[in-house]
Structures are given as C-alpha cells and as structure tokens.
Amino acid sequence: MPLITLPDGTTREYQDDVTPAQVAADIGPGLAKAALGARIDGELADLSAPITEDAELALVTAKDREGDPDEDAQYLMRHSCAHVMAEAIEELFPGARLVYGPPVENGFYYDIAFPEGSMISSDDFSRVEEVMKRIIKEDRAFNRYALSCADGLEKLRAEGSKYKIDNAERAIEAGSDELTWYATGTPGTDWEDLCRGPHVPSTGRIGAFKLMSIASSYWHGDERSDRLTRVYGTAFADKKQLKAHLARLEEAQKRDHRVLGRKLQLFTIDEQVGQGLILWKPAGAMVRQLLQNFISEELTRQGYAQVFTPHIGKLDLYRTSGHYPYYQESQYTPIIDRETLAGLAEEGCSCGELANRMDEGEIDGYLLKPMNCPHHIKIYASEQRSYRDLPVRLAEFGTVYRWEQSGEIGGMTRVRGFTQDDAHLFCREDQIADEVQGCLHIVKLIFSTLGMTEYRVRVGLRDPDGTKYVGDPGKWDRAEQACREAAATLGVPFSEEPGEAAFYGPKIDFVVKDVIGREWQLGTIQVDYNLPERFDLEYIGADNQRHRPVMIHRAPFGSMERFIGVLIEHFAGAFPCWLAPEQVRVLPISEKSADYANDLLGMLKDRGIRATVDHGSDRIQAKVKVAADLKIPYLAVVGPRDAEQGSVSVRAFGREQNLGALPLDTFVDSVARESESRGASSLMEHFEEVGT
C-alpha cells in the first residue's frame, strides 16, 4: 500500500504497486501526456518503474516550474536519442559494434568500433538523421527487461561483443545483481542494447535533435587499447531550443579563446615546452598584470601581506598537509635526488617498491607544488603569534602544477601549470565571519568591475558517506555553517552540494554565467580547521594559553590562466579600455601628420595610456581594419586639419562610423580617466553628452 508524497507535500495512497505513469494519469491527462520520466526518492527513473513502498515522487516534464528547460528531461531525451542514433548507425553500417553511449553536458555520444573498410564520416550524418527521424516517427516504446547476471552474460557471450561483455562484467563487479536491456519496441524483435536506463517512454517523445561531430577515442580511455569512433549528437525538447543551442555554439566558436588568443597575440602553447603549459606573450602578459594590479590594490586596503614561495617543496611537507597521498593522482611524479636514486638502482629497487616506500615515508624527495597553502602555513609558523596579531593574511600569485590527462587539457581553461591569486588567512574562530565577508567583498568587486553580474554560489559540503575527509566532525560542522551563513549574505541564489568539499574543509564556489549563457566555476573560498591541526599551528590567546587558529583559503580569480581564458570569451577578445593590452592606436592620415601623431603619442604615454602609432604607408581604411582586427578600444585618426585645430578624430571599436572630433587634451584626459577608473568613467559619455 504505497504512500506517494509529491513535491508540493500532498500525498496519494495506492492499494497495490504503482508506476509514475499511473500517478501522473491520476493527477490529470495533461500531466500524463507531458511526463517524460520521474524521480523516485531522488533517483531518476522510467515512467514505468514500479513503486512498491512509500516514496517521494517528482514527475519530470520538458520544462521546470519556472518554465526553463528541465535538466532531467534533457538527460532522458539525450540518453534515448543516443539509442536511436546507435540503431540507425547499425542499420547503415552492418558490422559496427557498440561500446557505450552516455548523455553528456549539452548532448550525448556513442563510442563505436567500425569494421575495417567501413567508417562513418560527417558526410553520412544526413543519412543517419533520416533513419533516426523514421524511428522517432514510429514512436516505438522503450521497454526494459532484466536477466540474472549468469543469463545476461550467457546472452552477451552468444552475441560475441567483447565490449558489451566487458560492460556487463564491470556492472557486476560494481554490485549489480542483474543485467538490464532496453528494447526500442518489442524485446527479442526490435533493436535493443544493454543499458541501465532510464529513458523517455517512447521514441516519439524525443524532440529536436542533430548529429554534431566525430572524434577518435580509445576503449577505457587507454591509448594502447582499441581505437574507437565517437559520434556526438544533441537533443532538445523542441526546435526552438535546438536552434538557440546551435546559435550559442556558433557564437562560442567565434569567441573561442584559443583562436582569439592566437589572433590577438595573447599567448601560445608550444609542444616542445609541453602540453598545458602557457607561454604568455606581451599582450596577454599585460592583461594578466593589470588584473594582478587591480586585485593587489584591494589586498593592500584589506591588510594583506604579499609573500613569495618556491615552486617545489619536500615530499614530507605534502605528507603532513595530506596532499600526498590524498591528491596523488593529480600530482607530478616526485623528484628523487640523484644519490638516493642511484643507491636504489644498485639495490635493484623496482618502480612499484619505490612508490610504496615513498608513500610510507621511507624515502623523501621533492614535489612540484600542487598547492600554495603548505608554504604559507610554514611562513605563519616561522614566528610566534599572539591573538593581537590575528588575522594574518598572506597573499601570493603562486604557480602550481597539476597532472592532467592529455585528453583533458584545453587551451587556458585546463592546464598543467597555472598561477593562483592565492591567499591564506589565519584567524581566531570569532573572526571567521568577518574574514569570509572580506573575501566575498573581493569576489563581488571583481565580478562587478568586469561586468560579470550573473553568477550563483555553490556551498561544497562533505559527502555523508565519503571517506576522503580529514579532521574532527564537530569542526567540520562549524566550518560548514560558517560557509552557509556567509553565502546567505550575498543576495544571490546558492545551493548546498554534498561531496563537493575539499578533503580538508567546506568551500564556497562562484559559478559565473558569461554573455552567451555558459557557466564557469571561477573563484573559491574555503574554511579549514584541519590543516592548522595537521601542522600544529598555534597562537597565544588573551588567557596566555596556546590556541589553534582557523585557516581560510581564498582565490577570487582562481587560476589566472582559466580566468583570462574565460574573460577572452566573455568579451570576445574586445577587452574594456582599462584592461586592453593596447588602449589607443594613433593613425596619421599621411606622413604630413607624423609629427603631430608622435606628439599625441607622447601625451598619451605621459598619462600612462598604452598606445602606439601606425606610421605605415597603407591607406587609412587599411590601418583602421588592422586595428579593428586587434580589437583596440580607441583609434585616434589625425590629419593636417586636426593638427591645425589641436584636435583628434575618434573611432571606437565596434562602431563603423567616426564618433567625431575632440580637442587633444579632452581626448587624452577622457581616456586616462576611463582607464584609471576601470570603466566607471568613459570617453563615450562625452559623445553622448554632445549628442553624437
């Protein structure tokens, strides 16, 4: 006699087992028609899933209560569309063997092993899509059936696909007590695939879809294993959503920081230097330095002290902090000194034995630092501290190194070496709230200055069942509550996400939405009771007793590389004047105006404005185009008449026509004020005032 509790708190009681589809029909025919799936006690499920005991039930429809596309609905639709695509490909390419096909962010893919001499290409997409349209039009039901593990494996071995056998064996190893299939239609007659589900009720419930691209992949991600073909697609509830998504992708392609970074000469990546290691060119280095100067000014106002630490540290330092071994998979291999290594080689020490002895602390070495915090802790611990000295705020633009898989590296947003605008605050417990508020102020200042006003906050908490966390549960409780209370003061939506905490403490992450609606996780603040405990940090309290400080980690930009990569795409490379590597380019119409152009350049540089003169022999239209391609905010066009009148003709990036003429001093002053105020004042305001 299941009691079903709905999201609004109402309940429905049933005499026998019931399905979400039946509950939807009982509520009303409109909901029954709209429902695509359900969440039963938080787990996403088919509409046909049996409910045998009391449960909380939420029905999934294409749009949520606010009218936005529902993420669960998109997941179901994309998972189902992946099956439809796989069926179409197998029909058109006999002998193709399916490996796996999950939904992913913004779409889905299927990894497929094609027989020799038979390979899909993007030219085949239209044929595949036609077959998919036919399958969707047939509106065949997704029917689930289960077999015992033994019977399921017997079935798969008879079919002979090593990939599906492997998938099944992995599921069994993970604890599955049965194997499930989904047939697109009648089991045993229509197409089917080994799958855990869930799916939409039938193929006809799949809205608009499109095949997107093809890439190479490897079985289990192992380059030494079978080479596979990964076919990507996407699906949405309707054509309008799909069209909007494709428009966003087109805009994102125009804004790709890897392309713009090359065109604007901001950075380069060289294979001989290494994947994921950024070489900052002068223009990109200028953007980075300007951002560092900006945040450094605020740090000075808040009483931070700048420090510098080395790029490596002894392995024992990271054993104490817990980064080694807790963070071991993301670290570079430890560096062992030559003499120790030679001695181990003479002993016949194997690589496995060496790794074990390092893990156990028998052998020390050095590590490219994955975090700055242990170094800052040692600076704090280098002198005796009183309660009157706290908080101690240590800041550093410190470079750290993380081992990322080659397939996960991408431009500036996923790298192996990056610089954090890192700081660590050591404070008394009664100071936590004020210090976190100070950190939040910096984050809000950055976002408002850069016009990144759409963001949400994510409070990362412990996973109740997790084992990676270290420290006293009571201190964790207090740290988590401090993060909750701080997030509540921001006036923006925030969510609590169990399992997202660092191993040493909870955190507040800032997820920013850029101008085309993409979300990026940028700044972070973490409250940490555990590292001070691990390093036995202390201060002398007002009672003349020893006390343990609390540590706050904060990095408003996060990674400078990632942040600037996001900024490039947010601004499409057209940085605001205060942040632009070159703010003004002076364009003399001819050689007759060269001296006047140089005089203007001198005035600009005297005011700290980053400017150059184009003395080339090209016509003025060609000079304007070159400057526009570099997205320089302002162009100062000067000719003989400007020299006579002491004026300059102004053009602004993104505007086809001249803005008009300004007196030389007015132009220079206006650009200087815009730069110094970081956009609070603007040259454009003058033209708006005079009605141009």
Side-chain angles (χ1 to χ4, degrees), residues 596-608:
Y596 184 63
N598 288 334
D599 291 342
L600 172 55
L601 179 66
M603 293 176 65
L604 291 165
K605 289 192 170 183
D606 286 344
R607 294 295 299 273

Side-chain angles (χ1 to χ4, degrees), residues 310-592:
H311 290 242
I312 64 173
K314 288 186 73 173
L315 200 56
D316 197 48
L317 176 70
Y318 300 105
R319 290 194 186 102
T320 302
S321 71
H323 292 103
Y324 191 92
Y326 284 104
Y327 214 69
Q328 193 169 348
E329 290 183 1
S330 298
Q331 295 165 357
Y332 275 82
T333 303
I335 304 164
I336 311 298
D337 70 76
R338 292 187 182 90
E339 290 184 5
T340 301
L341 208 55
L344 291 168
E346 288 179 6
E347 293 175 16
C349 179
S350 68
C351 291
E353 184 184 351
L354 174 61
N356 290 334
R357 291 171 69 177
M358 283 191 295
D359 288 350
E360 293 166 6
E362 294 179 24
I363 298 172
D364 208 352
Y366 287 84
L367 194 67
L368 285 171
K369 66 175 178 181
M371 296 283 191
N372 297 302
C373 36
H375 295 256
H376 291 189
I377 286 170
K378 286 299 183 181
I379 291 175
Y380 175 89
S382 66
E383 54 189 276
Q384 190 175 68
R385 309 285 181 173
S386 161
Y387 72 97
R388 295 187 184 91
D389 301 325
L390 271 53
V392 173
R393 306 183 186 99
L394 304 178
E396 177 182 17
F397 289 95
T399 302
V400 297
Y401 302 89
R402 311 275 175 84
W403 177 256
E404 300 282 1
Q405 298 295 326
S406 59
E408 296 175 345
I409 295 172
M412 297 178 79
T413 56
R414 195 73 180 265
V415 293
R416 286 177 170 162
F418 57 91
T419 301
Q420 294 177 308
D421 62 321
D422 216 352
H424 296 92
L425 296 75
F426 302 86
C427 64
R428 305 189 307 268
E429 192 164 10
D430 64 290
Q431 295 173 320
I432 291 175
D434 287 343
E435 292 307 305
V436 171
Q437 285 297 326
C439 297
L440 294 176
H441 173 75
I442 296 174
V443 175
K444 290 190 288 186
L445 177 65
I446 290 170
F447 290 164
S448 62
T449 302
L450 292 168
M452 305 176 85
T453 55
E454 282 196 70
Y455 63 93
R456 61 184 175 87
V457 174
R458 183 172 62 204
V459 180
L461 308 174
R462 288 165 294 177
D463 180 346
D465 300 319
T467 58
K468 72 174 184 177
Y469 309 103
V470 295
D472 176 70
K475 291 180 177 179
W476 266 92
D477 291 340
R478 294 198 294 277
E480 289 180 338
Q481 186 59 26
C483 288
R484 287 189 186 97
E485 291 174 358
T489 68
L490 286 167
V492 297
F494 78 91
S495 60
E496 296 183 8
E497 300 196 15
E500 289 300 315
F503 71 85
Y504 50 77
K507 61 180 181 175
I508 302 173
D509 289 332
F510 295 84
V511 182
V512 180
K513 185 176 288 188
D514 67 15
V515 293
I516 59 173
R518 298 170 303 179
E519 288 193 329
W520 304 88
Q521 194 274 307
L522 297 176
T524 187
I525 299 168
Q526 301 169 1
V527 178
D528 180 3
Y529 282 84
N530 293 304
L531 285 183
E533 188 80 32
R534 295 176 75 93
F535 280 93
D536 195 25
L537 299 184
E538 60 183 33
Y539 67 90
I540 304 300
D543 58 0
N544 210 32
Q545 299 299 308
R546 299 179 185 276
H547 296 270
R548 189 81 69 204
V550 180
M551 186 175 176
I552 298 173
H553 310 243
R554 73 106 190 95
F557 289 132
S559 153
M560 297 299 293
E561 284 75 5
R562 179 180 174 82
F563 192 89
I564 292 174
V566 171
L567 274 191
I568 293 168
E569 299 195 2
H570 180 70
F571 291 123
F575 294 106
C577 179
W578 73 270
L579 196 54
E582 183 177 348
Q583 297 169 298
V584 176
R585 180 161 293 188
V586 183
L587 304 179
I589 291 175
S590 67
E591 287 187 18
K592 295 178 182 179

Side-chain angles (χ1 to χ4, degrees), residues 19 149 168 200 286 460:
T19 67
C149 293
V200 296
M286 177 58 70

